Amino acid sequence: MSQIEDSLRKLFEKYRIIFWHDEKEELKDRFEELALPGVERIYVQNNEFYIKHKIAREDPEGQYLIYRTGKRPAYVNNWLQDLELAHYEFHTNQEATFLQELGLDYGFKDLVTEHIEFFKSKDRRQKLKALLGKVDTFRDIRYKMLAVLFSTNTISLTAFIQAHASAFNDGNERPDRELERYNLNTFYWGLISDSFKYYAESPGIYDFLLEVFSNVFSLTKSSGLTKDASLLLSVWKDTISYQEAFQQLSAKIAEDLNVQPLLEDANLEDILEDDLFRLVDFKIIHDLIHLVVSESIGNDKASQVIKHRENKYWYREFKDFYAATSHAMEMISLVRKYASVAFSSIEQGAKRYSQDLHLVDYNYRKFIWHYRNKGQNKVLEPLFEKVEKVYSNDWLLQLNNNWQSVVDAAPEWPLLPRVSQSRFYKDHVEPTLNRGQRQFVIISDALRYECAYEYLQKVNAENRYEGELQYMLTAMPSYTQLGMAALLPHKSLSIVDGSDKVCVDELPCQGLQGRNKILAALEGYKAVGIQAEEFMKMNSSTEGRAFVKQYDVIYIFHNQIDKTGDDKTSEDKVFEAVERELVFLMDVIKRIANMNGTNMIITSDHGFIYQHTALEESDFSDVQVNGEVWKENRRFILGRNLKGDASTRHFKAGELNLAGDFDVLIPKSINRHRVKGAGSRFVHGGASLQEVVIPLVKVTKKRQDTLKQVDVDVIQQSNKITTNILSVSFLQTEVATDSIQPRTIRAAIFSNDGELLSDQFSYNFDIEEGSERQREVKHRFQLSSKASGKYKNQTVKLVLEEPVEGSSKWKLYKEYMYTLNISFSNDFDDF
């Protein structure tokens, strides 16, 4: 079937009579060969009156194709003029064929003629046809032609510019060639001129972008473009598919606009709102670091700066830099506040450490982790040196010197109910078993207290999980064999003569096999120990549940932190091991919950001291030891009839609540014994607060939801918008807590037909304290020119969206209605 025949068949589905004027008689053969069932073909040959009578009187319901050749008769001589006007005229020139294929009226012939090269491609015609609407104007069709040219899913000038910029960034000149070839150049740049007031004798996409960036950046001179320039960049930054182009062009434009010298003398306040260039974050981070190092900026001020940058475009790339700076600042501030604290007893010191002092070690660890995560970037070096000096000298040393005074004064290492590791089973496991409930115990080797502080936040951020954090004091010395033994059910603990091996009620408990023998001897209850890796291999719905049903108490052992830290070749990666362990422990409790477990305890055998910088020779002590030495470690010495010097604290076995006749020497404060081949930065076994205060995290799985998110409202003082700037106050209605989680929102103003009319504002509402006024966040929305033009006096919406978890999508949270009532005077840009 020919294209002409196919077109006519479709037309006869809508029309009864079709006229075909073939002036040069080029298609007469085609006319005569047509096969159109039910359609009568008539050749106009001075038989106009017959035709009129035939189709109007004799057969008023029939379908006819009226074919005429030669020059079209003048109006007064065309006896079929009334019928032609009343019915449909079929055209067979190239333009007409394209129009018929597209379903467009012949009145658009001039448009096709003007852009004929565009329409010569069947692929372009098909793409355009899919976009066309019934009431499209010449301008609408050209707009949609640009959408085809730029291959955009959105029919908007912003989308065209993004695609054009992306092509330019890739070195692709095709859009420029096609704009010229399809005769769309004037239309396209006319749109840009009308929207942005960009005028150039030879307009080009990069020249235009230079003016846009210059117009929006606070430190460069305005190029005179409209305020829509800032909206263009706001939308561009938020369009995922074009972000790579934005980033690369931003770097090129920064160089061409000479941005770096402009930033050299800029104040933080001058550039806090800017996020067009990476260099802005370089400058802010550089200045913040030096302010923190010199301790010349307050915590509140620095936190405000970092929080302000949190919703800016480049934040994700610089998140580790900001986080490192924040943790360093917090650590230094806490050290200045707590370093000179004094203690009255071992119990009071441990309690105080669990309440607030551990936060210094937490912030130190997080600083080091973020510092290493950015490859120890040189911009962080001054901060790293400051942190190391403050942490080692002003914190670890001074704090533990103060703590050592109560350790020296204590006649024994106390066995305190509910806080002693040696009473763990009796005080925390047995009560659950006595209630007829199953208890899971997860022991993470070297999970120190501050690590569990972070872990608790992760637990409480999970819906239907609740956790609480308590503390315990380790057995002494604070090393793995003794700590693991102390956590098992027992009556007495002892150390095997000549070694550091431990016995529980005279049974050796080395390794999993030894611990399981002790658990198997438990009276009244069935208990077992298992390595965490083996436990996690079990299918939770079948094998796992069958395993769990056999026991009343299940000990799960994992060794990631201690294994990493105790190896001299990997001790510098211990904080990375902590990060992995916290994730792993979350997986473990979820697996337990899937096996119908509800009562879970996460604890540790001991803590540790860690200093990231390699120690100097002067940091090691040569202890003069007399007696029979069984085991010598960086942080303790075991033996019989031991006598040390003034740098050690001596304990008899009984003073440590251990059975047997032996002695223990513990180096005072954070001193380390000089031991060949051993690691020195990660150590444990001694009596420092970081080593002996260990976590006790109790986790339960709830049947009902335990979480909700903070609510965010808009304080809407008026529902009218009268200028091109709308100042909006967002209110976080309640403080964020463990059970009331932060909420991230994205807000912008939209027309009722979905047109974006302002910049987009994103913010993470996670404020944890303060009055309602202190939880109020303001943003000034810049409205586009369309707000005072096309949509003037119409109702618009301030739309608040929140992210869809696990995706890059957003969903509606709330919306607020406004009426646009912008005065004509606001249509003028500042000049």
Side-chain angles (χ1 to χ4, degrees), residues 438 440 535 543-551 554 595:
R438 183 178 291 111
F440 291 83
F535 181 79
E543 180 188 3
R545 291 184 183 183
F547 170 79
V548 165
K549 284 181 180 179
Q550 302 175 68
Y551 303 103
I554 299 169
M595 296 178 184

Side-chain angles (χ1 to χ4, degrees), residues 107-267:
F108 289 106
K109 176 180 177 296
D110 290 344
L111 181 144
V112 176
T113 302
E114 183 180 346
H115 307 290
I116 191 66
E117 290 299 321
F118 176 93
F119 290 96
K120 285 182 178 179
S121 164
K122 184 177 181 180
D123 179 62
R124 286 193 294 273
R125 294 197 303 271
Q126 289 177 341
K127 290 178 180 178
L128 178 61
K129 185 176 182 179
L131 301 176
L132 293 175
K134 292 182 179 180
V135 294
D136 281 347
T137 64
F138 278 73
R139 187 178 187 275
D140 295 333
I141 295 172
R142 288 189 174 98
Y143 233 92
K144 293 172 181 179
M145 290 166 65
L146 289 175
V148 173
L149 187 153
F150 287 114
S151 300
T152 63
N153 295 323
T154 304
I155 305 170
S156 72
L157 182 57
T158 298
F160 305 156
I161 293 170
Q162 290 173 351
H164 198 174
S166 181
F168 171 81
N169 182 64
D170 294 338
N172 181 1
E173 298 179 354
R174 182 186 58 80
D176 294 294
R177 291 196 303 268
E178 292 185 349
L179 283 168
E180 188 70 34
R181 181 185 172 196
Y182 304 150
N183 204 20
L184 285 166
N185 230 349
T186 301
F187 177 72
Y188 174 63
W189 288 109
L191 291 175
I192 291 177
S193 296
D194 291 343
S195 296
F196 300 99
K197 299 297 181 280
Y198 166 72
Y199 304 106
E201 289 186 10
S202 300
I205 188 63
Y206 187 64
D207 181 68
F208 169 64
L209 292 177
L210 280 173
E211 290 208 22
V212 169
F213 275 75
S214 178
N215 201 75
V216 176
F217 185 50
S218 63
L219 301 183
T220 48
K221 186 178 180 181
S222 172
S223 61
L225 300 188
T226 66
K227 294 182 176 66
D228 284 6
S230 61
L231 178 57
L232 168 66
L233 294 180
S234 175
V235 174
W236 188 1
K237 286 181 290 185
D238 204 52
T239 305
I240 294 174
S241 56
Y242 293 120
Q243 286 189 356
E244 183 178 353
F246 174 83
Q247 293 169 9
Q248 293 174 1
L249 285 169
S250 168
K252 176 176 173 57
I253 291 170
E255 186 174 343
D256 290 339
L257 291 181
N258 215 19
V259 167
Q260 183 165 337
L262 295 174
L263 287 168
E264 292 291 347
D265 299 321
N267 296 319

Side-chain angles (χ1 to χ4, degrees), residues 77-92:
N77 296 323
N78 185 3
W79 301 107
L80 298 176
Q81 183 74 36
D82 55 338
L83 291 174
E84 290 178 6
L85 293 173
H87 297 279
Y88 186 83
E89 182 173 1
F90 180 64
H91 301 272
T92 53

Side-chain angles (χ1 to χ4, degrees), residues 504-541:
V504 171
D505 299 334
E506 300 184 356
L507 291 175
C509 68
Q510 273 62 59
L512 182 63
Q513 185 177 2
R515 295 167 199 166
N516 266 328
K517 286 183 179 179
I518 292 161
L519 291 170
L522 182 64
E523 295 182 4
Y525 299 105
K526 294 192 69 176
V528 72
I530 186 172
Q531 295 293 353
E533 288 83 359
E534 293 302 313
F535 181 79
M536 293 298 286
K537 288 178 183 177
M538 294 183 187
N539 182 293
S540 58
S541 61

Side-chain angles (χ1 to χ4, degrees), residues 573-603:
K573 301 178 180 64
V574 69
F575 287 165
E576 285 91 331
V578 171
E579 294 289 328
R580 294 194 302 273
E581 182 70 351
L582 299 188
V583 173
F584 181 79
L585 291 176
M586 287 302 303
D587 292 339
V588 172
I589 66 168
K590 289 178 181 179
R591 180 63 58 88
I592 291 172
N594 288 336
M595 296 178 184
N596 296 326
T598 56
N599 301 301
M600 296 164 260
I601 293 176
I602 298 89
T603 188

